[in-house]
Amino acid sequence: MIHIKNPKTTLPFLVVLFFFYKAGISQISDTIASSYPKLHNFSATCIGPTVHSGRVTDIDVNPNNTTEFFISYASGGLWYTNNNGITFEPRFQSEKVITIGDFDVDWDRGVIILGSGEQNSSRSSYAGNGIYKSLDFGKTWIHLGLEESHHISRVLLHPEDPNMIFIAALGHLYTQNSERGLYRSMDGGKSWEKVLFVNDSTGVIDILFHPKDPNVILAATWEKMRKAWNFDGCGTASNIYFSSDMGDNWNIITQDGSGFPTGEGKGRIGIDIAVHNDTTHIYAIVDNNHRRPKDVIKQNRIKGFDNEMLKTMSVADFLKQSDEDIAAYLANNGFHKKYNPNNIRKLLQERKTTIKDIYSYNDNANTNLFDTPVIGAEVYKSIDYGKTWVKTHKNYLDDIYYSYGYYFGRIHVHPSDYQKLYIYGVPLLSSTDGGATWRSLDADNLHVDHHSLWIDSKLDGHLISGNDGGLNISYDDGKNWLKCNNPAVGQYYTVQVDNQDNYFVYGGTQDNGVWSGTHNYEFSRNWEATGHYPYTMLLGGDGMQVQVDDRNPNLVYTGYQFGNYFRIDKSSMKRDFITPKHDLGDEPYRWNWQTPILLSPHNQDILYMGAHKLLRSMDKGQSFEEISFDLTDGMKSGNVPFGTITTLDESIFKFGLIYIGTDDGNVFLTKNGGDEWINLEIPSSSKWISRVQASKHVKERAFVSSNGYRDDDFLPYLFITNDYGQSWQKIGNGLPNAPINVVKEDPVHPEIVYVGNDLGLYISFNAGVDFTPFATENFPNVPVHDLVIQKKNKHLIIATHGRSLWKVDLNSIYLLKSSDYASLNILNIDHPVYNTNWGRINNVFTPIDTGFMSVQVYSEKRIEAAYNIYSKKQKVLAKGKITLKQGLSNYKIPLQVEPKLHHDFLKSIQDSDWYKNLKFSFSMPDDGLYYLTPGKYKFEIIVGQSIVNQDFEVTLK
């Protein structure tokens, strides 16, 4: 360990006033529990929301019934509807992965071929594990290999030969590999041959058959390489290939001299074909990363001056600029409000700043990415199979691609009109004149960032769009849109709760902002009638971390990507921008995509923010000070901010005992509020630190997880220290090969630790040494990004990146913990509330309401069991048989009294206070069965010689 004195601590540590939490120190036994519980069939509850939906990757519609279709989400699985999107049911959520790049459906045979792993290359584009096939419209699946393809861009079924399949594979996202290119199967996926391969950094992004001759195939390749600090989405190997023999041989049809862009600037390419009067029209959209001519850049400059002009401007020339132009420049470039034309001039005149300081004030990777004056999206057409290409439009297609390649790149020709085209990126555009002019189809209710489009060949104007906000349907060619947001498929980055009894849940989502809603949400469409949805958007953009003041649940701190944070008063919805700015001349703060923030557990006026330095506010974010130096290994050149703090935590035992982790693998500790920092040496520290967690039980303990996703490393890295990081033990036996996103220690039981990774949720009962899957009954294999525990209600809230938010009642886990993991145990009975309608016919159109109680049972193995229900006088009133599942499960036990025991039952209740105080005539229900009445009973389970029981009560409202 290296101890480093912080030269920039400005506030003496000892004068800070704060409140301490009192907590005892628990010791954990080194002995692993002999009977380690398996949580098979433990249930979790989805608490939505559905309203904002999530990122779509593909749509496939039944051509003979357009109200029936499938839709895939980037990390939310495959869904099916047969009522035009009013409701959906999941058809791909229990396989090893849930991420989907593309799929194709044979509607006549019920066959689906699905390529796992998203085709986009964003910050959370998850890898898949190859190809899946279903023979029953997605009800069951078999795996067809190609595990190392990772990201599938297209799946194509031959229109005449059901056994011929083409797979376009992009390969690994962050590293070079050879398992990319175009694959073909002639036997329904039993075997594969690679028919097109360029190099180990170039995959295939698009493929299609000629509509009149399936022997003719076009394929678009894409050369790209993503790193944690940079995305290079173009290169000379990005081309369009042509085959006339079903993929046996290929020729490049985007050669030099053809009119198509060439050189290093070729980015992602999308292709489509139309045939008109026996002429084949090939259309292509390309993300052209060549720079625009300087004279064009100059023409497009805003009034006054910009950064490019400043780079060649002298101090004397700057001083000649008008106050209006200087003020406009400062406002447009995000300068702190303390800077104005007068003091900027004064700083220059006194040589306290320079022109370079001014134009580099916001010089960071993200700003530079968006400021790069590249050509952007262009549409080209060829009518001679690529010998020559002509650009369809004269002007630049601005505001379509902002992210330069990693997200967009598709084009479609209307099936019945070769001149009608659709392209999309941030907006959705259409052309009716072969691409010469374009109009936007964006309208109310349609989200931006489009990834898939289906066009009805029979009903003009019928479109289905898949975008970052889910699914939209139009019947008037994009003038108006329906939003189909039935599935809970939100991609959550973060989750937080307040500390009220009836608490609220908060979460930040991918491209759908920050939302707040009630924890007891149940799915219903009633909000469409009332206008009151249980969740409310607090902020737009890519929603990030949330902190809620423990003293005032209306005071919320949250923000969007790259450190743009606000203090929000929910009672008035007043927002104050709080992100601190560096001083002119200092290095700009580097903010991670998901910038960490934390309210101090000792004083809720104190807020921490992590840039490349740790910043602290003592006044609710109104002002900040640096309490560290650069805790990273420094900035790396690229177009993605890197060299940033990714995670931070403060111990509840001592103010100023803080851990931080960085994206370049550093973990630092300060014990005195930043006056001195200790560089902790973590095994595998070159990996992105995804979470640091200071123990809630042991002052010296902390957990650290690191994530190799950005190195295509899928091993789990989890560590524990019991001596402030002087030594570390690698833990996590039983965790699958999946990067870890979050580790959370239980606030009640120090032995319980939760981990969320890219495959789901896991729990440990021995302080992280061993893990078992958690919430496996109905919880999909979805990435888990964040966890939070609401202590008053003992609820665990799970933020999934693909299936919205989930809730787990930890009371059962705590009961299981206290039971020492007995092989058979009744953990909980939800005391039923008596209903006089049990067994009675309300009307002929509804089924009889029968009484049940919910019983939670842990069984070491799957086994047949018998049960009895006794009266308080030990008389058997009901009995039956159940099949106990392995693990912790809920069972519905009927409350019907055995017919042969009716006489004893009636006799037993006549002495009860409930019966004596009846204000109605007690009679046999319509189904001929009596039901347990209010009173105390005992429930018993019998397995062989083992008997377990628990008392319960049927209560009155």
Side-chain angles (χ1 to χ4, degrees), residues 866-882:
Y867 70 83
N868 295 314
I869 297 177
Y870 294 89
S871 69
K872 65 179 180 180
K873 293 185 177 181
Q874 301 301 309
K875 295 281 188 179
V876 174
L877 300 178
K879 56 186 177 180
K881 293 183 178 180
I882 55 174

Side-chain angles (χ1 to χ4, degrees), residues 445-459:
N445 215 28
L446 182 69
H447 200 282
V448 296
D449 292 358
H450 300 269
H451 305 286
S452 187
L453 182 71
W454 176 83
I455 306 164
D456 196 331
S457 62
K458 300 175 182 177
L459 180 60

Side-chain angles (χ1 to χ4, degrees), residues 879-948:
K879 56 186 177 180
K881 293 183 178 180
I882 55 174
T883 300
L884 297 178
K885 302 174 184 176
Q886 183 187 29
L888 185 62
S889 301
N890 290 309
Y891 302 90
K892 285 187 174 181
I893 303 299
L895 298 177
Q896 301 157 346
V897 177
E898 288 281 311
K900 66 177 69 174
L901 302 174
H902 281 178
H903 178 269
D904 291 341
F905 170 68
L906 290 173
K907 186 176 180 180
S908 68
I909 67 172
Q910 288 174 355
D911 295 333
S912 68
D913 293 337
W914 173 83
Y915 188 86
K916 294 175 182 178
N917 294 326
L918 276 180
K919 295 182 180 179
F920 59 89
S921 176
F922 183 75
S923 61
M924 177 176 284
D926 299 321
D927 63 357
L929 296 168
Y930 284 109
Y931 290 79
L932 297 185
T933 56
K936 295 182 178 180
Y937 303 90
K938 181 170 70 175
F939 177 71
E940 174 185 81
I941 292 180
I942 306 165
V943 177
Q945 301 299 314
S946 299
I947 299 176
V948 293

